[in-house]
Amino acid sequence: MKVIHIAPTPFFANRGCHIRIRNEIDALARKGVEVILCTYGLGNDVQGIDTRRIVSIPGYNQTSAGFSPYKFIADLLLFFLVLKTAWKEKPDVLHGHLHEGALLGWAVKVVLFWRKIPVIMDMQGSLSGELTAYGVFKSFPFILQCFFFLEKIICLLPEAILCSSENSLDFLITKCGVTKNKGAVLADVVPDVFFQEQDSADFKKKYGVPADKHIVIYTGSLLEGKGIDTLLAAMGTVLSARNDVFFILVGYPTEAAEQYIQESGFEESCLVVGEVAYDELASWLSVAQLAVDPKGEISGEASGKILHYMASALPVVCFDTVNNRKYLGENAFFAQPGSADDLAEMIEKGVQEQSLATVFAERGKEKVKASYSLGALAEKLNNHYKNLTIS
């Protein structure tokens, strides 16, 4: 089987969306599926992935998550790249990531109508919800309504939709009018390396991570839409009350977090690492005793980072949301959604109650190993492809 994955994003950057795409392609390779990835001109090539890129766009250099006006040009160029690739390679399925990817896949299918290529949409969260979470067009609610209307139309175009969370699937059915048999949940997964024991001593020494403090880590985009403002406020509360906690922030862009830490006088209790390669993420997680995720539920996205925390045997502090409960059950320190004060309280609880934290960590690792492996993902994706091509 041959599949074209359409990634309207600067793949690969060290972001959750890109990690999901990479893990899906790696999983499919285990089943012998030939994958061609069509993406933007920005980003790093990943060994083993057949990547086709549009030409570079002058002035477009943003690899972080969020809205960019250059994306309209990039998506137009990506359409012609996918059309050219589909004409030449004759794929069995077009797999569009995000809403733009699904729309581009459908447009290519229409142009090559006689081939009847099925289109599958890989949806992480609501498009309009994500724009709201990032604060885009917050002064122009009419534009947000237009995006919601466009989102509903896009969701009706593909033959099947894979969602990263139950919350996204519910949004499709209740808000977009998608039939139940058209959508399915395809959860994020974790590569094998995250389950392996890591030697963190040299890593701690290299980066100046103190050995006599409780290490709390966050990994992901340092953006408002990911809850970083709430996390920084919670960090301030914790660090003002105790001197035995040390925070590590792995991600980008770093400017706002660094400014807050400097202005608050927390330089000795925080380390802002910036962007790291995905291949180094397991090593960073190994230095911590507690992990935190401040993402809310506006966008409907599941949080793949939580699975990585669980695989690395880290107890988790996060908000009490549907997506987080699906992954963690009762085995986490849950805060009231959106509350920085409650998030700070749960971080302190995670630090203080070591025996409970250990139980949460052990149960989390067992659950991820059983349900969120690359092998399980490969089987599910391959079955979806077969169902589309048979029908």
Side-chain angles (χ1 to χ4, degrees):
M1 183 174 288
K2 183 182 292 185
V3 180
I4 292 179
H5 277 239
I6 307 166
T9 183
F11 184 91
F12 179 81
N14 295 290
R15 292 163 41 190
C17 167
H18 297 200
I19 290 169
R20 177 178 172 89
I21 296 170
R22 176 175 173 175
N23 286 339
E24 287 182 6
I25 294 174
D26 287 345
L28 289 168
R30 298 186 176 195
K31 301 293 290 186
V33 177
E34 182 182 348
V35 176
I36 300 168
L37 177 68
C38 293
T39 187
Y40 290 175
L42 286 170
N44 300 313
D45 288 341
V46 176
Q47 186 175 4
I49 297 180
D50 182 357
T51 305
R52 318 282 175 91
R53 297 186 180 277
I54 65 172
V55 297
S56 297
I57 300 173
Y60 184 28
N61 53 18
Q62 177 183 323
T63 58
S64 60
F67 176 79
S68 169
Y70 289 98
K71 282 181 65 66
F72 296 107
I73 302 172
D75 287 343
L76 180 61
L77 294 174
L78 187 57
F79 163 74
F80 288 108
L81 174 63
V82 176
L83 179 60
K84 174 185 174 183
T85 306
W87 175 271
K88 180 180 178 182
E89 300 290 347
K90 298 180 175 61
D92 299 289
V93 177
L94 294 172
H95 185 135
H97 292 272
L98 310 175
H99 293 73
E100 304 103 290
L103 181 59
L104 294 175
W106 174 82
V108 169
K109 172 189 174 178
V110 170
V111 174
L112 303 179
F113 63 92
W114 64 92
R115 292 190 182 167
K116 299 179 180 179
I117 311 171
V119 177
I120 196 165
M121 175 179 174
D122 202 319
M123 173 183 172
Q124 285 198 276
S126 162
L127 174 62
S128 54
E130 186 173 345
L131 291 172
T132 300
Y134 284 119
V136 180
F137 305 128
K138 60 183 176 181
S139 299
F140 304 96
F142 172 74
I143 297 179
L144 279 174
Q145 284 296 319
C146 291
F147 270 98
F148 173 63
F149 180 71
L150 176 62
E151 180 174 19
K152 289 180 66 174
I153 294 175
I154 292 173
C155 291
L156 298 174
L157 300 178
E159 279 72 21
I161 304 177
L162 301 177
C163 306
S164 66
S165 69
E166 294 284 355
N167 198 47
S168 293
L169 181 59
D170 181 68
F171 172 82
L172 282 177
I173 296 170
T174 60
K175 302 294 184 182
C176 298
V178 174
T179 57
K180 290 183 179 180
N181 62 346
K182 187 175 179 179
V185 174
L186 185 73
D188 293 319
V189 297
V190 184
D192 299 339
V193 65
F194 288 89
F195 297 100
Q196 300 167 4
E197 197 74 27
Q198 305 286 326
D199 185 3
S200 63
D202 290 341
F203 210 75
K204 282 186 174 183
K205 186 176 180 180
K206 179 180 178 181
Y207 291 99
V209 179
D212 59 345
K213 291 191 176 185
H214 299 283
I215 311 301
V216 182
I217 194 168
Y218 166 79
T219 63
S221 298
L222 306 182
L223 295 168
E224 183 180 350
K226 304 298 183 182
I228 191 62
D229 292 353
T230 307
L231 176 58
L232 291 175
M235 287 168 52
T237 301
V238 173
L239 294 175
S240 296
R242 358 179 17 124
N243 59 7
D244 60 344
V245 177
F246 188 89
F247 285 91
I248 297 177
L249 304 181
V250 178
Y252 64 99
T254 62
E255 291 78 14
E258 289 173 334
Q259 181 179 351
Y260 172 83
I261 290 167
Q262 185 177 16
E263 291 177 351
S264 304
F266 295 142
E267 296 97 325
E268 298 300 316
S269 299
C270 299
L271 173 63
V272 181
V273 180
E275 182 179 4
V276 303
Y278 184 49
D279 295 334
E280 293 182 6
L281 184 56
S283 296
W284 277 108
L285 292 177
S286 72
V287 309
Q289 288 88 49
L290 188 68
V292 61
D293 181 11
K295 181 188 287 187
E297 206 166 30
I298 294 177
S299 71
E301 286 182 285
S303 189
K305 66 173 65 65
I306 286 182
L307 293 177
H308 290 77
Y309 294 163
M310 294 165 70
S312 301
L314 284 173
V316 178
V317 178
C318 60
F319 289 129
D320 193 352
T321 66
V322 173
N323 292 330
N324 292 344
R325 283 282 182 179
K326 182 188 177 185
Y327 286 156
L328 293 155
E330 300 296 323
N331 302 305
F333 298 99
F334 290 107
Q336 296 176 18
S339 172
D341 290 339
D342 209 45
L343 191 66
E345 184 178 334
M346 290 300 105
I347 292 172
E348 290 197 64
K349 186 176 181 180
V351 168
Q352 292 167 349
E353 300 191 18
Q354 290 295 303
S355 58
L356 181 59
T358 299
V359 171
F360 287 166
E362 291 173 351
R363 290 176 179 173
K365 185 168 185 173
E366 290 173 3
K367 182 175 182 180
V368 171
K369 189 176 290 187
S371 304
Y372 299 98
S373 66
L374 283 180
L377 174 65
E379 193 67 31
K380 290 178 182 177
L381 258 182
N382 200 40
N383 286 339
H384 281 296
Y385 291 161
K386 287 180 178 178
N387 289 338
L388 283 177
T389 52
I390 290 173
S391 58

